[in-house]
């Protein structure tokens, strides 16, 4: 095919123009080399040569061969030309590419020429390479003419990758390839070396550290096999087969793995894969490192598919099917890691750019910080504050009233301030014994949550207020009983006859002894109440309730949830004794002076009604088991029929009782189905005797009828009911998560099985999206009809659409076990398929895997990104939602949400262990201080 001729001066000018316009462009570098020698930093395509000393300075740009090359171009001014691009670096000349040149009309000629283009361009390339054989690498000279275009394609990709590499991308890749956890500088490395050195002293024998102990020495205790791989890679650099190293050799190894250079870390990683040291990585070597990385992260499923994932990497990096990859291809994959990850996961990537219009940080003045802190403190705690203030004020008033009332009586002259203190404490005890029942009236609190009372009463803290009231009761008992037993009783018994005469009528004119006071109705009931309440209080403490305290064999039954549950029922007897105790008083004889019944009658009636309602309702809410699914990680799910009239909200929970296991025990479980579903579902984690027995009666004894496998919604298998035990349901009851509809932006954080209330919320959001889409479709249909007939329908659709509030949800689920992702795999896939509006953003975190950036998880991250980009499926969870490693950077999470939703109120809902709740609450307060976005934190523990 003919090409337009271009003169040599024009060709040289074009090359120089390109060099000036782009930094690190493929062009001639302006240098004055003193000598030309080969460089190890370039690939094998470079070649070196020597020139006489007196001629080396006279050739200028390009060296001695460039004038010859340009002169050849002048001699061929009337012939077809190609553009040869060279790169000079470290006194070496590298052939980058050979491409045809053309003028503005060349495009039309190329299109007309058709298939002759490839043959002519390859012919020109061959002529240049044969003319200047010094520009060709040994491998390319050995290749045939048929292989030349393939080599050129790989070279072109290599040079493009080199040009695309920027300092910022190298820095990102540097964070993605770390051998030492979070080493940020030389000082940190030196500090860590002191620790490594101390370990060397304890592990070394005769001054030598064994290869097998290298991992423990550098801090990779749980990844010794991976550390051995690093050891062997560093040993191969020395051209040695090493089994033991000295302190000096260990320090040399340490300097290499702690090097902050990306190139240095990349070379170590490459050497780990390149086990034979030939500078090339084969698919088998990639597979070996994948198995090593999977073992370090305890991912057995990944090891089984290592060959498949190794082929995926080779397919991406070796499209020419050479059967090997080189270091620049591995480097390019690391540099492009973020590109792959951002492309592949719209559901798990918060594509939020920081903008001054989206977030505004307030001034950092001391006075402003103090005022902001006080303001947020008030906003976060004003509900708790006024409740506690009113409660403490009422107790103080009651104490003072009784104190001054008995101070004016004749008995004060006998028993003094001991009597007034005991009576004041008794009055506060009556109040608190009444109040302590109200927070545990679940039906009452659930109903109040749906009223305006939720605006000024913190129902999420009902159990906390129950505990605070219990502590106040304990203090009141100490004051009341202590004052009686060690103060006013001895004063009364030892009082003078003339003083006792003033109160003799209260004791039937007989001065009692200390034993008589204890044997009386007041003494017996009082002592009995103290004993029973002491037992209940001790067994309700955290250490006993969570079985932290280890008692000897005969007393093991006094710890755990069952001990707490049954001991709390002793308080029913306490209330009977309290009524008796408050009726038979020594110094009060008129009915209105005996005020105990006035305090506890109404709360006790509410509580008894509550328990009676629960008992009757549970009998009515007997359910049929539709499906039982045994899931990985000691979890199973129960799908039950939905009782008639059973209505609930997402985020609420129910109690389950299986009389075949225990006729008394009720256990709470979050509802994982949505309110719009025609069934109820719960997920049960086996953590105790009751849940273990529940699994046994529903699976092992009826294994032929239960459904074993992964939960898939919408496919309910009916089971035979004759052989299955009876299951009773009580509820639903309110929980913090049910208030999610009060917010337009949600941050849902679940830890392990703590994700269950949020699964129901996600399904409910999807159902609302379906309803909104249905409204939109109905509106479009009515608009196509006659305008007179469609007006009422459009008005109805518009009013329905206003009721449907669009909520944006960010769901973060953390778990240590890979099998946990099977629990809600169907739900996550359903969210991925139906959430077309990007309403829900899901993030899964596998905390047992080393964080993204650790060298032990680098190759897994690469495979994960490639597989998700190609197939749209995560290699760990098997869903469309990508799995992150380690734990989230919560500061970054809150920052992104604040950036995306300025001046919004974000509901932060957490379900899990208490430790993370403290961090999330602190961040919610800090970000509310620093940004225009307000974060309101809600928690529930399991």
């Amino acid at each position: 095919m003919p090409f337009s001729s271009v003169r040599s001066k024009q060709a040289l000018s074009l090359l120089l123009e390109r060099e000036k316009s782009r930094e690190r462009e493929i062009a001639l570098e302006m240098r004055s080399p003193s000598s030309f020698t080969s460089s190890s930093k370039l690939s094998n395509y470079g070649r070196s040569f020597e020139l006489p000393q007196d001629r080396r300075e006279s050739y200028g740009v390009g060296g001695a061969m460039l004038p010859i090359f340009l002169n050849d171009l002048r001699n061929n001014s009337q012939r077809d030309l190609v553009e040869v691009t060279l790169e000079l670096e470290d006194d070496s000349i590298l052939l980058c590419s050979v491409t045809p040149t053309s003028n503005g009309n060349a495009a039309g000629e190329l299109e007309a020429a058709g298939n002759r283009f490839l043959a002519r361009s390859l012919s020109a390339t061959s002529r240049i390479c044969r003319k200047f054989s010094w520009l060709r690498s040994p491998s390319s000279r050995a290749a045939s003419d048929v292989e030349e275009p393939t080599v050129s394609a790989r070279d072109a990709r290599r040079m493009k990758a080199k040009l695309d590499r920027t300092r910022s991308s190298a820095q990102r890749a540097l964070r993605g390839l770390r051998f030492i956890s979070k080493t940020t500088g030389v000082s940190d490395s030196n500090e860590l070396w002191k620790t490594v050195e101390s370990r060397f002293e304890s592990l070394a024998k005769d001054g030598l550290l064994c290869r097998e102990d290298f991992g423990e020495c550098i801090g990779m205790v749980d990844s010794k096999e991976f550390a051995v791989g690093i050891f062997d890679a560093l040993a191969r650099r020395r051209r040695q087969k090493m089994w033991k190293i000295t302190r000096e050799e260990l320090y040399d190894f340490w300097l290499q793995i702690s090097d902050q250079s990306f190139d240095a870390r990349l070379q170590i990683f490459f050497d780990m894969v390149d086990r034979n040291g030939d500078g090339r990585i084969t698919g088998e070597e990639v597979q070996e490192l994948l198995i090593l990385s999977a073992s370090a992260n305890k991912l057995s499923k990944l090891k089984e598919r290592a060959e498949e994932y190794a082929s995926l990497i080779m397919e991406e990096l070796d499209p020419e099917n050479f059967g090997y990859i080189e270091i620049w291809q591995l480097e390019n994959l690391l540099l492009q890691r973020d590109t792959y990850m951002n492309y592949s996961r719209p559901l798990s990537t918060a594509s939020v750019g920081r903008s001054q219009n989206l977030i505004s940080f307030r001034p950092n003045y001391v006075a402003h910080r103090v005022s902001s802190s006080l303001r947020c403190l008030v906003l976060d705690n004003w509900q708790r504050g006024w409740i506690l203030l009113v409660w403490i004020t009422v107790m103080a008033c009651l104490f003072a009233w009784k104190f001054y009332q008995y101070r004016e009586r004749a008995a004060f002259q006998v028993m003094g301030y001991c009597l007034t203190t005991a009576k004041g404490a008794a009055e506060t005890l009556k109040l608190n014994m009444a109040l302590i029942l109200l927070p545990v009236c679940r039906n009452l609190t659930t109903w109040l949550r749906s009223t305006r009372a939720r605006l000024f009463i913190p129902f999420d803290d009902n159990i906390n207020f129950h505990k605070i009231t219990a502590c106040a009761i304990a203090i009141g008992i100490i004051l009341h009983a202590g004052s009686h037993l060690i103060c006013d009783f001895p004063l009364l018994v030892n009082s003078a006859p003339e003083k006792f005469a003033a109160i003799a009528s209260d004791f039937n004119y007989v001065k009692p002894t200390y034993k008589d006071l204890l044997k009386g109705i007041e003494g017996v009931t009082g002592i009995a109440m103290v004993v029973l309440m002491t037992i209940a209080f001790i067994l309700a403490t955290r250490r006993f309730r969570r079985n932290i305290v280890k008692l000897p064999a005969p007393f093991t039954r006094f710890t755990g949830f069952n001990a707490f549950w049954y001991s709390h029922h002793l308080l029913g007897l306490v209330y009977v004794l309290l009524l008796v105790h408050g009726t038979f008083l020594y110094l009060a004889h008129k009915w209105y002076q005996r005020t105990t019944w006035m305090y506890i009658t109404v709360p006790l009636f509410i509580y008894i009604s509550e328990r009676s309602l629960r008992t009757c309702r549970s009998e009515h809410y007997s359910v049929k088991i539709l499906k039982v699914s045994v899931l990985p990680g000691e979890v199973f799910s129960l799908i039950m029929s939905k009782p008639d009239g059973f209505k609930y909200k997402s985020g609420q929970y129910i109690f389950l009782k299986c009389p075949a296991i225990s006729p008394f025990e009720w256990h709470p479980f979050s509802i994982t189905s949505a309110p719009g579903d025609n069934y109820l579902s719960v997920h049960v984690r086996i953590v105790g005797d009751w849940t273990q027995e529940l699994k046994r009666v529903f699976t092992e004894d009826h294994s032929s009828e239960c459904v074993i496998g992964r939960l898939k919604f919408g496919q309910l298998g009916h089971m035979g009911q004759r052989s299955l035990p009876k299951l009773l349901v009580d509820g639903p009851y309110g929980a913090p998560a049910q208030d999610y509809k009060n917010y337009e932006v949600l941050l849902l954080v679940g830890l392990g099985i703590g994700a269950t209330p949020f699964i129901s919320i996600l399904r409910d959001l999807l159902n609302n999206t379906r309803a909104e889409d249905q409204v939109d479709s109905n509106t479009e249909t009515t608009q196509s009809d006659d305008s007179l007939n469609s007006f009422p329908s459009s008005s109805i659709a518009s009013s329905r659409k206003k009721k449907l509030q669009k909520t944006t949800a960010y769901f973060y689920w953390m778990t240590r076990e890979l099998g946990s992702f099977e629990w809600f795999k169907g739900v996550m896939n359903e969210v991925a398929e139906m959430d077309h509006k990007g309403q829900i953003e899901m993030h899964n975190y596998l905390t047992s895997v080393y964080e993204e950036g650790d060298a032990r998880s680098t190759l897994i991250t690469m495979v994960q990104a490639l597989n998700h980009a190609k197939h749209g499926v995560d290699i760990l969870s098997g869903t469309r939602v990508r799995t992150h490693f380690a734990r989230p950077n919560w500061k970054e999470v809150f920052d992104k949400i604040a950036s995306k939703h300025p001046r919004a109120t974000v509901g932060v809902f957490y379900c899990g262990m208490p430790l993370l709740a403290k961090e999330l609450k602190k961040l919610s307060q800090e970000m509310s201080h620093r940004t225009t976005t307000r974060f309101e934190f809600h928690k529930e523990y399991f």
Side-chain angles (χ1 to χ4, degrees):
M1 173 181 133
F3 292 95
S4 299
S5 299
V6 181
R7 297 191 178 276
S8 60
K9 292 185 179 180
Q10 293 174 331
L12 181 59
S13 175
L14 178 61
L15 292 175
L16 294 177
E17 279 293 317
R18 290 189 178 184
E19 184 220 354
K20 293 178 181 179
S21 62
R22 286 166 39 184
E23 184 179 6
R24 297 179 62 89
E25 190 69 29
I26 305 177
L28 298 173
E29 273 188 31
M30 303 296 295
R31 298 192 181 187
S32 298
S34 58
S35 63
F36 291 85
T37 56
S38 62
S39 172
S40 61
K41 293 185 178 181
L42 294 176
S43 70
N44 295 330
Y45 299 110
R47 177 163 178 172
S48 62
F49 55 93
E50 297 293 337
L51 295 174
Q53 183 67 30
D54 56 347
R55 299 290 302 275
R56 290 180 182 175
E57 298 294 330
S58 61
Y59 295 110
V61 179
M65 298 303 297
L66 184 60
I68 301 173
F69 172 65
L70 296 178
N71 183 61
D72 184 74
L73 289 177
R74 295 189 188 99
N75 296 334
N76 290 275
S77 61
Q78 301 302 320
R79 298 178 59 186
D80 301 334
L81 297 179
V82 294
E83 180 181 293
V84 180
T85 307
L86 309 176
E87 178 177 341
L88 279 74
E89 185 173 342
D90 295 342
D91 301 335
S92 295
I93 300 177
L94 180 68
L95 173 62
C96 299
S97 65
V98 182
T99 59
T101 60
S102 62
N103 58 12
N105 299 325
E109 298 175 1
L110 286 173
E111 184 177 0
N115 296 331
R116 290 181 295 167
F117 166 74
L118 180 61
R120 191 61 177 267
S121 61
L122 295 180
S123 177
T125 302
S126 301
R127 291 200 304 271
I128 289 294
C129 292
R130 286 195 299 268
K131 181 75 175 179
F132 305 102
S133 59
W134 53 273
L135 292 173
R136 302 174 64 196
S137 66
S139 60
S140 63
R141 286 197 302 268
S144 65
D145 291 340
V146 178
E147 293 174 334
E148 286 181 3
T150 304
V151 175
S152 297
R154 174 171 279 213
D155 290 343
R157 289 195 302 110
R158 180 179 64 82
M159 293 312 303
K160 184 178 183 303
K162 190 177 180 92
L163 288 174
D164 289 342
R165 174 178 175 178
T166 62
R167 177 169 297 183
S168 59
S169 64
Q171 287 297 323
R172 289 194 301 270
L174 184 66
R175 294 194 297 269
L177 188 59
R178 186 173 57 247
F179 293 95
I180 304 174
S181 299
K182 298 185 179 180
T183 301
T184 56
V186 177
S187 59
D188 298 322
S189 178
N190 292 337
E191 289 296 324
L192 288 173
W193 165 247
K194 295 179 181 178
T195 306
V196 173
E197 196 173 19
S198 64
R199 294 196 195 109
F200 177 86
E201 295 293 339
S202 60
L203 295 173
K205 297 179 180 179
D206 299 328
L208 296 175
L209 179 70
C210 292
R211 173 173 171 265
E212 291 74 17
D213 296 330
F214 179 73
E216 183 178 354
C217 188
I218 65 173
M220 292 186 177
V221 181
D222 299 328
S223 311
K224 291 187 177 181
E225 292 182 5
F226 192 88
V228 168
I230 299 176
F231 182 95
D232 293 340
L234 297 175
R236 281 195 295 271
R237 290 186 172 188
R238 294 170 168 257
R239 302 291 189 270
Q240 298 177 9
K241 188 66 175 178
M242 306 176 68
W243 298 99
K244 296 182 179 181
I245 55 174
T246 63
R247 185 199 305 270
E248 291 73 19
E249 290 170 332
L250 174 64
Y251 183 65
D252 179 58
F253 283 8
W254 176 259
L255 291 179
Q256 295 182 61
I257 63 176
S258 62
D259 195 318
Q260 296 300 301
S261 166
F262 170 68
D263 291 328
R265 295 184 183 182
L266 175 66
Q267 189 64 56
I268 296 176
F269 191 75
F270 183 86
D271 292 341
M272 285 185 64
V273 190
D274 182 21
R275 293 179 176 266
N276 57 8
D278 62 351
R280 297 176 178 180
I281 299 177
T282 62
E284 291 76 11
E285 290 174 326
V286 173
Q287 181 180 344
E288 289 179 11
L289 187 61
L290 263 176
I291 294 175
L292 199 61
S293 299
S295 299
N297 291 279
K298 300 176 178 63
L299 300 175
S300 57
K301 292 178 63 176
L302 188 63
K303 292 170 64 175
E304 297 172 0
R305 305 183 63 181
E307 183 178 359
E308 174 187 345
Y309 295 139
S311 300
L312 182 66
I313 291 182
M314 296 301 295
E315 179 182 344
E316 177 68 20
L317 299 184
D318 182 28
E320 300 88 358
N321 201 23
F322 277 11
Y324 66 89
I325 59 176
E326 297 174 299
I327 189 170
W328 64 268
Q329 292 162 296
L330 187 64
E331 174 188 2
N332 187 46
L333 182 61
L334 283 171
L335 294 175
Q336 299 299 321
R337 170 178 170 269
D338 291 341
T339 303
Y340 281 108
M341 294 171 67
N342 292 336
Y343 166 77
S344 62
R345 288 159 309 278
L347 278 175
S348 62
T349 302
S351 55
V352 179
R354 298 190 59 84
S355 170
Q356 293 181 354
N357 297 328
L358 295 180
I359 186 167
S360 60
F361 290 93
R362 296 159 184 163
N364 199 22
Y365 304 120
V366 176
H368 183 82
R369 289 205 310 270
V370 172
S371 63
S372 297
S373 299
L374 290 176
R375 176 176 173 271
C376 290
L377 183 65
V378 172
L379 289 175
D380 290 336
N381 298 284
W382 71 271
Q383 290 179 321
R384 303 181 185 94
W386 84 264
I387 292 287
L388 292 176
L389 181 62
V390 170
W391 175 59
I392 293 172
T393 301
V394 171
M395 284 196 302
C397 292
L398 290 175
F399 186 92
W401 172 53
K402 278 297 179 182
F403 186 93
Y404 287 107
Q405 186 184 71
Y406 275 84
R407 188 179 180 184
E408 302 299 326
R409 292 192 175 188
F412 177 76
Q413 304 301 324
V414 179
M415 290 174 278
Y417 286 104
C418 295
L419 176 65
T420 56
T421 301
K423 291 301 181 180
E427 207 67 18
T428 63
L429 276 172
K430 299 172 188 177
L431 172 68
N432 289 324
M433 288 296 290
L435 290 179
I436 199 170
L437 295 173
L438 297 179
V440 292
C441 292
R442 297 190 181 94
N443 287 290
L444 177 64
T445 56
T446 300
W447 173 71
L448 289 175
R449 280 178 181 272
S450 60
T451 66
R452 291 185 178 273
R454 71 176 186 274
L455 301 177
F456 51 88
I457 297 178
F459 291 107
D460 292 350
D461 296 317
N462 62 325
I463 299 301
N464 290 333
F465 185 71
H466 179 78
K467 294 177 180 178
I468 292 174
T469 308
C471 293
I473 289 174
I475 296 173
I477 290 174
I478 293 173
L479 289 175
H480 178 72
S483 297
H484 278 320
L485 295 175
I486 66 177
C487 189
D488 59 11
F489 280 7
L491 289 175
L492 174 63
V493 171
N494 299 317
S495 61
E498 56 274 14
K499 287 186 177 182
F500 177 76
I503 57 172
S505 59
D506 296 323
F507 297 92
N508 295 325
Y509 299 99
V510 177
K511 187 177 182 181
T513 63
Y514 195 87
K515 186 176 181 180
D516 293 335
L517 293 174
L518 295 180
K519 290 171 57 179
I521 295 178
E522 297 88 342
V524 172
T525 56
I527 293 173
M529 283 191 295
V530 171
V531 172
L532 294 176
M533 294 176 73
T534 300
I535 295 173
F537 186 87
I538 292 175
L539 297 184
T541 56
R542 179 177 176 273
R543 295 181 62 84
F544 278 86
R545 189 179 71 253
R546 292 190 175 272
N547 213 9
I548 299 176
V549 175
K550 302 299 180 182
L551 298 178
F555 305 101
T556 53
R557 292 183 177 271
F558 291 101
T559 61
F561 180 82
N562 287 341
F564 154 75
W565 176 255
Y566 289 115
S567 65
H568 250 56
H569 285 76
L570 295 175
L571 297 176
L573 180 59
V574 169
Y575 277 94
V576 175
L577 295 173
L578 179 62
L579 287 172
V580 175
H581 184 81
T583 302
F584 297 91
L585 298 178
Y586 288 116
L587 303 178
H589 305 287
K590 297 180 180 180
W591 68 271
Y592 58 83
Q593 293 177 333
R594 301 168 180 176
T595 59
T596 303
W597 66 273
M598 300 180 186
Y599 284 96
I600 67 173
T601 299
V602 174
L604 192 59
F605 174 78
I606 294 175
Y607 183 77
I608 293 174
S609 301
E610 163 101 6
R611 296 302 298 263
S612 301
L613 175 64
R614 291 171 59 182
T615 302
C616 297
R617 187 173 57 187
S618 64
E619 292 292 337
H620 176 69
Y621 283 166
S622 179
V623 297
K624 296 180 179 179
I625 303 299
L626 303 179
K627 180 178 179 181
V628 179
S629 299
V630 179
L631 306 172
E634 294 296 317
V635 172
F636 66 97
S637 69
L638 294 174
I639 297 182
M640 304 160 282
S641 61
K642 191 174 182 179
D644 295 334
F646 189 89
K647 296 181 180 180
Y648 64 95
K649 298 179 181 179
S650 292
Q652 293 183 333
Y653 65 96
I654 57 176
F655 279 86
L656 296 180
K657 181 174 77 170
C658 184
I661 300 176
S662 172
F664 305 109
E665 291 187 40
W666 290 90
H667 292 264
F669 300 97
S670 296
I671 304 174
T672 55
S673 54
D677 297 331
N678 59 356
Y679 59 88
L680 282 177
S681 68
V682 295
H683 284 66
V684 181
R685 180 111 192 227
I686 303 172
V687 291
D689 297 338
W690 190 88
T691 52
Q692 180 68 46
E693 189 68 14
L694 185 68
K695 178 189 175 184
R696 188 190 66 80
V697 298
F698 280 111
T699 59
E700 294 180 9
D701 289 352
H702 314 279
S703 57
S704 60
E705 298 179 352
C706 70
V707 181
I708 307 298
R710 186 173 62 250
L711 175 61
K712 294 182 179 179
F713 289 96
Q715 301 177 0
L716 302 181
H718 294 276
M719 306 175 64
Q721 299 299 318
R722 293 182 180 178
S723 59
L724 288 178
K726 189 177 182 181
L727 190 65
L728 304 181
V729 174
D730 178 30
Y733 294 113
Q738 78 173 61
D739 297 329
Y740 75 96
K741 289 188 176 180
N742 298 333
Y743 304 93
E744 294 185 6
V745 183
L746 302 175
L747 174 57
L748 310 175
V749 182
L751 188 62
I753 199 66
T756 48
F758 306 132
I759 294 299
S760 178
I761 292 175
L762 295 180
R763 292 182 57 82
D764 192 37
L765 291 177
L766 290 180
N767 290 342
N768 292 339
T769 301
R770 283 198 197 101
E772 186 176 351
D773 293 340
Q774 185 65 32
V775 170
D776 292 339
S777 63
N778 291 340
T779 303
E780 293 175 1
T781 303
T782 55
Q783 287 177 351
S784 64
D785 296 337
D786 183 75
S787 59
L788 293 177
N789 296 330
S790 63
F791 177 74
S793 299
S794 300
S795 301
I796 295 173
S798 177
S799 62
R800 286 182 62 192
K801 194 171 181 179
K802 288 180 180 179
K803 293 180 182 179
L804 296 173
Q805 181 183 12
K806 183 178 179 181
T807 303
T808 302
Y810 300 89
F811 176 50
Y812 286 79
W813 183 24
M814 292 159 289
T815 178
R816 287 191 57 83
E817 301 172 0
L818 179 60
S820 302
F821 294 123
E822 293 286 331
W823 303 347
F824 309 115
K825 185 174 181 178
V827 180
M828 289 188 288
N829 282 329
E830 190 175 355
V831 170
E833 293 171 4
M834 296 175 53
D835 187 33
H836 304 297
K837 300 180 180 180
Q839 185 179 358
I840 301 173
E841 188 175 287
M842 302 182 68
H843 300 262
N844 295 336
Y845 279 84
L846 187 60
T847 58
S848 60
V849 178
Y850 291 100
E851 61 184 343
E852 295 174 4
D854 195 294
R856 287 165 285 189
S857 61
T858 296
L859 199 58
I860 300 176
T861 305
M862 295 180 190
V863 172
Q864 186 186 47
L866 288 173
N867 191 76
H868 207 302
K870 184 174 182 179
H871 304 293
V873 177
D874 183 72
I875 63 173
L876 297 180
S877 66
T879 67
R880 292 176 57 187
V881 183
R882 188 177 76 87
T883 301
H884 303 270
F885 301 150
R887 291 172 175 80
N889 184 340
W890 291 114
K891 175 70 170 57
E892 184 177 320
V893 171
F894 276 78
D895 198 29
K896 287 181 178 180
I897 294 177
S899 301
K900 193 172 183 179
H901 304 281
R903 298 178 180 85
T905 301
V906 180
V908 182
F909 294 91
Y910 170 73
C911 183
M913 301 298 289
L915 185 61
L916 182 57
K918 296 178 181 179
E919 180 182 357
L920 294 177
K921 182 178 181 180
K922 182 179 179 181
L923 274 173
S924 298
Q925 295 173 345
E926 289 180 357
M927 295 303 293
S928 297
H929 298 174
R930 298 174 52 208
T931 69
T932 59
T933 305
R934 176 169 169 74
F935 293 86
E936 294 185 357
F937 181 70
H938 308 269
K939 68 178 183 301
E940 57 180 306
Y941 301 142
F942 57 77

